[in-house]
Every structure is written in C-alpha cells, then in structure tokens.
Amino acid sequence: MASSALVSAAAAAQQKMQMIKGERHLFSSSDDNTVMKQTLETHSPDGREVDVRSLLHLIEDIMQRANPAVLVTPQTHMEVLEDRAHHAAVIGMLEALAYPIHRIAAEITYKCTSGGDAHATTIALLHALSSYAWDAKVTLALSAFAVLYGEFWLTAQLHTVNPLAKSVSLLKQLPDIIEHSHLLKPRFDAINSLIKSMLDVTKCIVEFKELPTEYISPESPDMSMAMTHIPTAVYWTIRSIVACSSQIIMLIGLGHEYISAPTEAWELSSLTHKVNNIHGHLTKQLDRCRQHIDERRHVEAYQTLAHLFEVVHIDNLKILRALLASKDDHPLFDCTSKKRLGVDILRRRIVMLFISDLDIPQEELLVLVQLYNDSYQGKSERPYEIVWLPVTDRHSPWKRDHEESFNRLASMMPWYLLHHPSLLDPAVIKYIREVWHFEKKPLLVVLDPQGKVVNRNALHMMWIWGILAFPFTSNREAALWNEETWRLEFLVDEIDPAILTWVREGRYVCLYGGEDIDWIRKFTTVLRRVANEAKIPLDMVYVGKNSSKERVKKAVAAIAAEKLSGYWQDPVMVWFFWVRMESMWHSKMQHGKSVEDDPIMQEVMTMLSFDGSDEGWATISRGSVEMVKSQGKKLVECLNQFDTWKETVETEGFLPALANALAPYHTHEHCTRLILPGDNGRIQEHVICAECRRPMEKFILYRCCND
C-alpha cells in the first residue's frame, strides 16, 4: 500500500510538472495579435455597474493579511473581528456579487487542477465575465483569486491555534509547507511581487474608469489610446491570476517538494516583468489624461474667476472664496491670534491682497508693517485688512528652506495670510500673473467691500502717501496727485522729521547722493565753504544711492568718520526715499502722465536719472518749493567758481544766483541714464528725457543683486 501511494504521488507530481511546462511553452509562444483578437471577442458588456473601488479595498486588505510573514496572535484575531465594520457599507453589493465571484473562483480551481493551459483558462474566464466592463472584469477575477489565496493562508496561519484549521491543513498537507518555509520563501516572494503588479494594473484601470467625463471624453487622444491598451492589461492580469492560482493549488499534496524543484521561477518573473511594463505604460497615459483634466479644470476655474470679477456682487465673499478657499474652508491664518479662519471674517471689508514670492525685501516688509500698524491707531477697528498670498513655483519641489522662508516671513506679519502656499489654486496664480501682471515685485491689489478691484497695485500709493491714500482706489490716487506739488516736504515726507523742521525754519537744505567718496569729499567741502561765504544757514544730508547697499554703507562710514555732512544711519530710510521716488514714477505712468505734460513727472524723472548715473548729484532747497538741482560734477565746478557770481547772491538770493550760474554748464551733449525696476511685466515703450525732451533709447537690464 505504501509503495502504491508513493507511485501515485509521483505520477501526480509528474502530471503537474508537465502542466507547468506546457503552460510555459504557451506563454513564450503565444501571438499577441491573436490573443487580443480572442480577448476582444469575449467582450459584450450589458451596462451593469459594479462598485469596483470597494471591492479593491477588500482585495488589498486580504492580500495584506494573507502573507507568510504575518504572525497570528490573539490581538491579530481581534483586529480581524473588529474590522468587520469596515466592510459593512459593501455588504449589499457583495450579496449580488458573491455568486459570480464564487463561480469564477471555482472555474479557476477547476481549470488549474484539470490541466488546462493558462491562455485557454484566461479566455474561459473572460467569457464568464463577458457582460461586465473591463474594470469590473479584472476586479472580479482578482476578487476570486483573493478568496482562494486568502483561504489558503487563513488555514496556514491558524493551523497552530485553531483545531478546525489544523484538521483542514492536515488534509491539504499545509503543515509541511509551513515547516519548510525557508525553502518556499523565494517562491512566495515571486508570487507576492506578481500580486503587487496585478494590483497596480487593476487600480490603474479603475482610475481610468473614474476619470471625470466632463473634462475628458473617451474620444480624446490620450483617453482613446489608453482604452486600446486596457484589454491587453486585463488579459495579462487575469493570465497572471491563473499563474498565481496554479502555484498555490500545486502546493496542496505536493507541498515543499514541488516548490523546491528548480523549475518555475521563470514563469512568475516573466509575467511580473510583462505586467510591470503594462503598468508603466498605463501610468504614463493616466498621467497625460490627468494633466489634460487639470488643464481643463484650470481653464474653467480661470474663466469662472474672470467672470466673477466682471459682475457686481452684494459683498466680497464669492470673490474671496474663489481666490482663497477653493481647496480649504479655513484657508486664512491670523498672525495675531494664531488661529485658522474662514474668509467670512473679511466679509464686506476693504481687503488688500499682498502678493509676493518668498523673497520679499526686508525693508519693504518692515515699512509695510509700520504703515499697517499706524492705520489702526486711534480707531475702533482697522479701516482695511491685508492678506498675504505667497506665490511659489509649482514646478519646484517644496523644500525645507522654502518652509523656513515662509515661516520667517509669516512671523513678521501682523495681518492674515494663506496658511500654506499650496492653497493658492493654479487658476488663481494664472489670473494673478496674466491680469494683475505679477512677476517678481510684490503687489498690493485692493478689493472694495463688494470684491471689485479698485486698484491693481496700491503699494505705490502706500509708499507715497501712507494711510492718507485710504481707501486706496485709483480715483483717490488721481485726487491726491491733483492736490500735490513738487516740494521738499513731499520729497522726503516723514522719513526725516528734522528736515521738515529745517524747512519750517527757512534754512537751506541740501540732499545729495552717489557713491563716489572722492566726489563727496570735494562737494561737501566746497558747498560748506560757499555757504559760509554767502552767510546762509545750510544743512546737508546724504541720501545714498538706490540699489547699492554695500557701497552706500562704505560712503556713510566715511562721511561719519570725517564729519562731512549729515546722513541717514538706518538703511531703511535710504531704501524708502528711493522706493517712493520709483513709486511716484509708476503711479504717474498708471495715470497716463508723461514728462511732456506733467511737472512732477519731470522732477521725478530728473531725480531718477541722477541716481542712474555713475556721478554724484545734489538738490538744494529753501522753504517748500524753491529748489535747484544738478549733476555733481557740474555743481562742484560751478561752486568752485563762486567768486565769479557771488555778487549776485545779495541781489537775487542764493538759489536764483546758483541757478543762473549753473545755466552755462548745461549743454546739449549729455547722457542721461534712467534705471527703473520692472513694474510687473509692463515696459514703457516711450520715455522722454527730462533734460532735452527727446525720446530716450531703450535698453533692458537684468540684475539679481543689489551690488
């Protein structure tokens, strides 16, 4: 009897080995075109829907737990029992699918046991699944395999702790498999790798089915190409299911003797390679489809946002939600209370959107914070609110240094901000760049209580007039210019209160700039000598040079050490002086003013031209409006010739006499250089020289640093 049993076992083993070898031959010689033709002939869907996503969750749960590495403990057993609630939502669906899944599992078991080849078995399963869509076919087949695979490992795992499992495992000879797990590990690793690949492809197919048809149609090129490859993916996934099922079924009775034979690794690894290639191709197509969908969504969101700004609203909530709350109901962070808030907190308020990247000049932020805090003094509530919108490059990964920069800037701000840059929708960024012309320089876009844009950039107004510019509308800007004249108080504003005192006292005030310390020595020396001889009370203040921080620091150090004149110790004062000058230029340009028709524009142009040159310059004033200005070299030459025109000082006054003395030094041969920072993408095509009134030649300067 023993001898007969051994002979029967050997015969069974030989039969099973022949089945595997025959399958390997078929696998290597099957013609893909014929296979796909046969696969498509099985497809006859009747429109029935299957909740494939819920099935996938169950399959993944089974595959994760059905693993040789899982150790069964009482705690593990309780976890399984408690997890039943997780599946409660799909019980109704499973009642309808339980029989088809059981039937497919039985078909797989029968075909793999009776010696059918893998291709024929795969086609038979596709016929059984003919009435389902492609995503349902592959998910149902994978569900059937999950039942077989799960039952196998459930018995194997519980045979030491459950008497029923022990008896069943004895009949299947599973204890033998567990005892020789070290020999079986390579085979189970290969099976697990193939299972992972099958799951990846199945999830990819399901994701194609879930793509929103309102943004991508089956006829679109990317989707159409993907659809031609999905039948191939379904076939090879089910073919892999058959292969894995065969491996598991072969273990019953033969145990580790079958697995330890050096025969079957090629089949599983080849299938895994094939399925991985399919997954890689489908993933690329899926990414293209998602990109197409994202682009459509962004276009739709952009158009919606643009339309919102074109219509009248009763309040600003629709606008603010579209700008700030498309991804989060509580997008705002209050830097004062340290709380997350919704946009409702800004309802019917004047909202100023501070738009920048993560590289905000410190001086700019400090002055804006000061102006913001000043606006609250003496009032029961702030007349406006600021919200920081940090615009970052979506194509660059968010790194630790980005996070640190964001947190550092946020810690300096007393207003609201988006609690993370990722909350800014790409459509909003597109609108900010294309309509509001944001590039590098910060913007301060003003929305009135109804959400209407009343100023695309109020920073210029803020720098020029501060809180006096409230409510920061373009109409208010025009009104302020109508009231303004070019005078020393306007030039320095409240940057230096001492200068305003000198003006009221009727003293002569000289503001001068440049970075050439040799010229500074010559100029301050000769001007002081002339002032003494002319017996005029004179105060000199060095106001530096725009965008030359380090060289200005060196000049200030020399001026202080040699006591050449007054100066501004705080670099922010120098920065603010020049940013106000640039703001005057941009503000005037926004209102269509030019050098030909606007006296203030002429004065601003002259100051900026002085600063753009390599030479020093100076402006000498008395009172509010009496003022003489000149390039440094001409002014020094003229002052050195004071003896030739000092007699006119007594009759004409010092400044008229100086102006007349300077007249011969102005010639038609000159070179005026105007350097302006880019105003958010808008480049002036036509700029007139403030000195000779001829059109200036245009050059483009790119600069990444201040020195």
Side-chain angles (χ1 to χ4, degrees), residues 59 156 595:
I59 293 167
V595 170

Side-chain angles (χ1 to χ4, degrees), residues 196-208:
K196 181 184 180 303
S197 300
M198 292 189 300
L199 276 170
D200 289 341
V201 170
T202 303
K203 285 189 282 188
C204 204
I205 294 171
V206 170
E207 287 171 4
F208 272 110

Side-chain angles (χ1 to χ4, degrees), residues 107 181 290 515:
E107 182 83 4
S181 59
R290 284 172 174 160
E515 59 187 23

